[in-house]
Amino acid sequence: MRMISTNLATDTWFRFLVKQTLHTSYKEMFVGNGKDYQWVKLNVFTRWNASTKGTIVIVFDASPTMKDHLTTLFAGAVDSISLGDPYFSHVLLAGEVLRLQNNAVWKIRNLVRSIEHERTLQSSDFPVIHDLARHAIHVLETLDLAARTLDSMILHNDQFASEITTTDATVKITQHHINDQLVFYSEAIQGLRLRSISNKDRLQNEIQLSFNMAAQNIASASMSINRIIQSDSSVMRTLGLTTAVFIPFSYIATLFDLVVTRQNIDSGKWNLSNKFWVYWAISIPVASTAAVLSYLYHRKRTTWKTGNYMRTILGSLFRNNLYTVGGGVR
């Protein structure tokens, strides 16, 4: 806020900003199209004439609704005694800003509470929550601006009251009353600021919680996939071991096919050779050796991968100085 005061007039100009969301529940934010917020701007210039005790108030960029509301507000509150103080109009505008900021803060609070009530992994939408967090940050910013502007108003009002020498008790009472109202509005804005900080922190908690829930769900799905892969791998190992056992039997059976069986030409019957035991004597050791070698190969491969993995983890821990020489984590 800025003020220029002379013996003839007192000029002030200041600005208030208020950001209000248009949604009333979390579900509406998913189906909303276009802008889901609006800015309310109060760019104000005032001039108080010391001789006529009249005040000119000019509000720039006011919406038609705000224009009608302020016209009604000033028309119903102005009296001859209040016009004697240049900061009476500031009290009315400060009260209007408090009303707008109160609506803005509690709309954010209601949306945050709606998110907390409807908290599920399926309904969590990070862009929507981040947009709401952006609105909460802007509301907090406008509250800081309003608090500084009101503090400046109080300072300039005290300065004006100290420079005016009057014995009129009514004027002094009016000045004290206006000062008390400005102080009240300033403290109320500070209270809304604390509520706005709470809203912002709760939104950050919801964002972090939604992220953790999504990460936990992804980790659970990954574990399920790993179990399926391990099951498939176990089946393949079983098939591989079975193949390793029976291939030697098949190969040796083919090799000895013409040797161990003979057909009697006279009777037309097949006779088993008396050397059939040689087939088993060769097949069983060969199949057993193949199975053992296959098992040892897979075991050595698994141990080698696990050892490399552990060496990688331990190397990373020591490189980052997570462990001390005496043992234990820092």
Side-chain angles (χ1 to χ4, degrees):
M1 174 183 166
R2 292 293 179 266
M3 180 190 73
I4 298 178
S5 181
T6 64
N7 293 332
L8 299 178
T10 299
D11 296 339
T12 63
W13 57 96
F14 50 91
R15 186 188 192 198
F16 288 107
L17 290 174
V18 181
K19 187 177 187 181
Q20 294 185 331
T21 58
L22 302 179
H23 297 305
T24 58
S25 68
Y26 182 50
K27 292 182 179 179
E28 291 182 5
M29 300 183 69
F30 287 97
V31 297
N33 296 320
K35 291 174 60 176
D36 58 347
Y37 64 91
Q38 66 177 0
W39 283 98
V40 180
K41 302 177 182 179
L42 292 177
N43 302 314
V44 183
F45 171 82
T46 67
R47 167 166 289 184
W48 177 76
N49 192 304
S51 60
T52 62
K53 306 298 183 182
T55 302
I56 299 174
V57 179
I58 303 176
V59 180
F60 300 93
D61 301 328
S63 64
T65 303
M66 179 59 63
K67 178 181 177 181
D68 295 338
H69 180 73
L70 291 179
T71 300
T72 304
L73 178 66
F74 277 93
V78 174
D79 56 69
S80 58
I81 297 177
S82 300
L83 289 176
D85 193 290
Y87 288 92
F88 176 74
S89 59
H90 297 65
V91 171
L92 297 180
L93 292 170
E96 180 63 18
V97 169
L98 177 62
R99 182 186 68 83
L100 294 173
Q101 289 286 16
N102 184 72
N103 291 337
V105 170
W106 284 98
K107 280 185 177 181
I108 295 291
R109 180 266 173 194
N110 293 337
L111 289 173
V112 173
R113 190 56 182 158
S114 178
I115 293 175
E116 294 172 343
H117 274 300
E118 301 168 13
R119 182 192 302 140
T120 60
L121 182 60
Q122 289 74 19
S123 65
S124 297
D125 190 295
F126 289 105
V128 171
I129 300 178
H130 274 282
D131 283 342
L132 184 57
R134 175 170 54 88
H135 298 334
I137 293 172
H138 287 161
V139 170
L140 179 60
E141 178 185 0
T142 59
L143 286 168
D144 287 336
L145 172 64
R148 293 187 180 187
T149 302
L150 286 173
D151 289 342
S152 180
M153 285 183 182
I154 295 171
L155 177 64
H156 289 304
N157 182 57
D158 291 339
Q159 180 181 352
F160 174 80
S162 64
E163 293 175 354
I164 299 298
T165 57
T166 179
T167 58
D168 192 338
T170 303
V171 174
K172 290 184 177 181
I173 292 174
T174 301
Q175 290 177 347
H176 285 297
H177 179 64
I178 289 176
N179 184 76
D180 291 341
Q181 285 183 297
L182 290 175
V183 171
F184 169 77
Y185 291 142
S186 177
E187 292 176 349
I189 289 292
Q190 291 292 346
L192 289 176
R193 182 180 180 277
L194 295 177
R195 167 58 64 175
S196 183
I197 292 175
S198 175
N199 291 340
K200 185 170 72 71
D201 291 342
R202 288 166 65 183
L203 270 173
Q204 292 300 322
N205 287 339
E206 287 300 317
I207 292 173
Q208 189 65 32
L209 177 60
S210 298
F211 178 80
N212 290 337
M213 291 173 64
Q216 184 179 8
N217 186 62
I218 293 173
S220 178
S222 299
M223 292 179 62
S224 299
I225 294 173
N226 288 335
R227 284 193 292 268
I228 295 173
I229 293 174
Q230 290 176 1
S231 177
D232 292 342
S233 177
S234 177
V235 172
M236 294 304 298
R237 284 197 301 269
T238 302
L239 291 176
L241 182 60
T242 304
T243 302
V245 170
F246 283 98
I247 279 181
F249 283 94
S250 300
Y251 173 73
I252 296 172
T254 303
L255 183 64
F256 282 85
D257 181 47
L258 299 177
V259 181
V260 300
T261 58
R262 293 178 182 178
Q263 185 180 20
N264 191 313
I265 299 176
D266 296 333
S267 63
K269 297 181 179 180
W270 288 88
N271 297 321
L272 186 66
S273 173
N274 58 355
K275 301 295 184 181
F276 183 64
W277 64 271
V278 177
Y279 168 73
W280 296 108
I282 296 175
S283 297
I284 292 176
V286 171
S288 300
T289 302
V292 170
L293 291 176
S294 177
Y295 170 76
L296 293 176
Y297 172 76
H298 287 292
R299 181 179 179 183
K300 182 178 179 180
R301 184 178 179 87
T302 303
T303 304
W304 179 77
K305 288 184 177 180
T306 304
N308 283 345
Y309 178 68
M310 293 302 298
R311 283 193 294 271
T312 301
I313 293 178
L314 293 176
S316 176
L317 291 176
F318 283 109
R319 279 196 302 272
N320 291 289
N321 297 324
L322 293 179
Y323 283 85
T324 61
V325 176
V329 181
R330 285 185 177 181

